[in-house]
């Protein structure tokens, strides 16, 4: 009887240690895989950073174009380059065009600021020269 109790105790200790070792090993593999999936690779980060820089440069170019259009629309409104017959109609049209350009310019400024923030987060303390 004592032999049977001793044998069962030894087998329970062996199965417990195998279970602990197997659980530790599987948890370690799961943790490594989660870290590998969560941490982006350098190439992926650089690709994302390159795409953000291109988008930021495109927004700067569009902002410059919109500023030029806005300036010309503002000058046209201020100078009153309108014929007397269509004075009211053209004035309304130029005011609408001016408002649309101002809205587009605001959207570009917001996009530029959000892209600058994303680039700062990707690079850390280094900043894009235009930010």
């Amino acid at each position: 009887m004592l032999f049977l109790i001793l044998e069962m105790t030894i087998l329970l200790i062996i199965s417990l240690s195998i279970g602990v070792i197997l659980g530790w090993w599987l948890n370690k593999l799961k943790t490594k895989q989660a870290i590998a999936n969560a941490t982006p690779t350098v190439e992926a980060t650089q690709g994302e950073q390159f795409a953000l820089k291109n988008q930021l440069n495109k927004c700067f170019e569009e902002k410059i174009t919109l500023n030029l259009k806005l300036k010309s629309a503002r000058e046209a409104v201020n100078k009153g380059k309108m014929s007397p017959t269509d004075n009211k109609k053209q004035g309304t049209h130029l005011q609408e065009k001016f408002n649309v350009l101002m809205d587009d310019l605001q959207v570009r400024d917001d996009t530029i600021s959000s892209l600058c923030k994303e680039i700062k987060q990707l690079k850390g303390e280094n900043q894009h020269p235009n930010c």
Side-chain angles (χ1 to χ4, degrees):
M1 190 69 146
L2 183 63
F3 177 74
L4 186 59
I5 293 173
L6 188 61
E7 185 181 1
M8 286 178 65
T9 306
I10 290 173
L11 288 176
L12 283 173
I13 290 172
I14 290 172
S15 64
L16 178 67
S17 31
I18 288 173
V20 167
I21 291 171
L22 189 61
W24 173 78
W25 182 65
L26 289 175
N27 187 28
K28 186 176 180 180
L29 285 178
K30 184 179 175 184
T31 305
K32 279 185 181 179
Q33 190 175 32
I35 289 173
N37 290 341
T39 306
T41 62
V42 173
E43 294 84 18
T45 308
Q46 287 176 346
E48 184 180 347
Q49 185 178 3
F50 182 71
L52 287 173
K53 281 184 181 180
N54 284 341
Q55 190 177 1
L56 180 64
N57 289 334
K58 182 180 175 185
C59 283
F60 276 125
E61 291 170 3
E62 289 176 355
K63 179 182 175 184
I64 291 170
T65 304
L66 288 172
N67 276 331
L68 291 175
K69 287 181 181 178
L70 182 63
K71 185 178 179 182
S72 66
R74 187 177 286 156
E75 288 174 359
V77 168
N78 288 340
K79 287 183 180 179
K81 292 183 179 177
M82 297 172 266
S83 63
T85 56
D86 295 329
N87 192 9
K88 193 79 160 173
K89 184 179 178 182
Q90 284 182 348
T92 306
H93 176 70
L94 285 175
Q95 188 64 37
E96 289 175 2
K97 184 177 178 181
F98 180 78
N99 290 337
V100 168
L101 288 173
M102 284 298 287
D103 291 341
D104 285 346
L105 188 61
Q106 184 62 42
V107 168
R108 293 295 172 228
D109 284 341
D110 294 343
T111 306
I112 287 170
S113 65
S114 67
L115 288 173
C116 282
K117 287 178 185 177
E118 286 186 47
I119 289 174
K120 286 177 187 177
Q121 288 175 350
L122 284 174
K123 285 185 144 183
E125 293 299 319
N126 297 336
Q127 297 178 7
H128 189 271
N130 294 333
C131 290

